[in-house]
Amino acid sequence: MPVAAISGRPWGEPPTGPPLRWSDPAVGGAEVPPPYLLTTAVFDGNEPNGSARPGVHTHTDALLVWPHSGSMTLWTPATVRRLVPGQGVWVPPGTPHAAASDPGSVACYTYVTRSAAPRDWSAPRALRVGRALQEMLLHLDATAMDDDLRLRTQRVVLEHLQDDPLPTLDVPVPEDWRIRSLAHDVLGDPDSDLSLEDLAARHGLSVRTVTRAFAQDIGMPFTRWRALVRMSAAITLLSQGQPVNLVAHRCGYSTTSAFSAAFRRVTGSSPTEYLRALPASAS
């Protein structure tokens, strides 16, 4: 069974609608009304779009993307990221992006005014969104309070934003049109046992072309890139409580030991060590 079916859908592209188009993103205005500093929108993954706005778009405000439960996917022009509870990504103002949550998940989008955003956060970055911070954001979203108290609480929230010590894996998406279709094929089916030769033939390419294109476009061999795809899918499955041996099989590895060795090469820890750290990142 493909990982895509287990985790909800393929994640090379959104589940519905046309393919992502980065050349002409929809431009959105500010989401935070003055005098406030931030606001959070909450979306159920069972809703039609599962996200605040379908397709590629930008915001005048900065954005913190994070799942409260389940998992979700964030696309930026050159990267796709899978997020599980405790993980978030900071999207600077004006950055083209698209996002969607898996069925049954709850995705949250915290908009932060440009004036309140840290000045040196000019590129997307992984942030820790622990359980206490999540509850503060949801409390602000659901609770009536006077302006002074709301602004003080929002300032405290912003002070607690910090880099994630266990960041999401960033999977680069090639820009080279020759291998883009092949890359999305792998993203949508991480457990496929097709060899590089098989994949190249499926897309009418030579192995030499694929090898050179990956090295030139994203700066790593195809085998290393596919390992990133598989480990990103594995993290989602591990966070869902799937046993390590089953995750290994569903990410294309014939043995648990081979999977564990590959997982350590990519993340720096074993699957068990990573599992132990996940609750801490969401607490």
Side-chain angles (χ1 to χ4, degrees):
M1 179 186 296
V3 168
I6 301 167
S7 61
R9 62 165 195 282
W11 49 284
E13 293 282 1
T16 59
L20 295 176
R21 300 188 183 280
W22 299 100
S23 58
D24 188 25
V27 179
E31 301 280 348
V32 185
Y36 306 116
L37 305 178
L38 59 85
T39 188
T40 299
V42 182
F43 289 84
D44 188 324
N46 292 320
E47 295 176 9
N49 292 322
S51 62
R53 181 181 299 167
V56 177
H57 60 281
T58 66
H59 298 287
T60 302
D61 293 323
L63 178 65
L64 174 61
V65 180
W66 54 280
H68 181 61
S69 63
S71 55
M72 62 185 300
T73 306
L74 173 69
W75 296 268
T76 50
T79 307
V80 59
R81 299 169 172 90
R82 291 283 288 171
L83 302 173
V84 298
Q87 298 177 327
V89 173
W90 177 266
V91 181
T95 302
H97 63 279
S101 55
D102 289 332
S105 302
V106 176
C108 300
Y109 303 84
T110 298
Y111 302 92
V112 179
T113 60
R114 183 185 291 265
S115 62
R119 295 185 182 277
D120 57 341
W121 290 8
S122 58
R125 62 195 296 145
L127 296 182
R128 175 175 179 167
V129 188
R131 188 62 63 191
L133 184 57
Q134 291 182 31
E135 295 307 320
M136 289 177 70
L137 289 168
L138 295 177
H139 179 73
L140 282 167
D141 177 62
T143 306
M145 61 183 73
D146 65 60
D147 285 354
D148 286 344
L149 176 57
R150 184 174 296 277
L151 285 167
R152 289 200 304 273
T153 306
Q154 290 178 348
R155 292 189 186 99
V156 170
V157 166
L158 293 173
E159 289 173 1
H160 279 75
L161 293 180
Q162 58 181 303
D163 290 331
D164 191 351
L166 192 67
T168 176
L169 293 179
D170 294 352
V171 179
V173 178
E175 295 183 3
D176 190 323
W177 63 269
R178 295 173 300 171
I179 57 172
R180 188 127 183 153
S181 178
L182 182 151
H184 283 293
D185 199 358
V186 175
L187 285 165
D189 191 10
D191 74 333
S192 171
D193 59 0
L194 291 177
S195 66
L196 173 56
E197 290 76 12
D198 294 334
L199 285 165
R202 172 185 283 187
H203 292 271
L205 301 168
S206 70
V207 171
R208 184 177 183 181
T209 295
V210 174
T211 300
R212 284 187 170 182
F214 268 91
Q216 293 172 358
D217 195 327
I218 61 175
M220 69 178 69
F222 170 78
T223 52
R224 165 72 177 176
W225 179 83
R226 179 151 72 172
L228 278 177
V229 174
R230 287 176 167 176
M231 293 309 109
S232 187
I235 289 169
T236 301
L237 293 171
L238 290 169
S239 73
Q240 294 170 352
Q242 300 279 353
V244 173
N245 61 340
L246 185 60
V247 173
H249 174 70
R250 292 179 172 176
C251 287
Y253 292 88
S254 57
T255 66
T256 301
S257 59
F259 166 71
S260 296
F263 193 94
R264 183 179 289 278
R265 283 195 299 272
V266 172
T267 68
S269 62
S270 71
T272 302
E273 291 167 344
Y274 200 97
L275 272 174
R276 283 199 297 264
L278 275 177
S281 69
S283 62

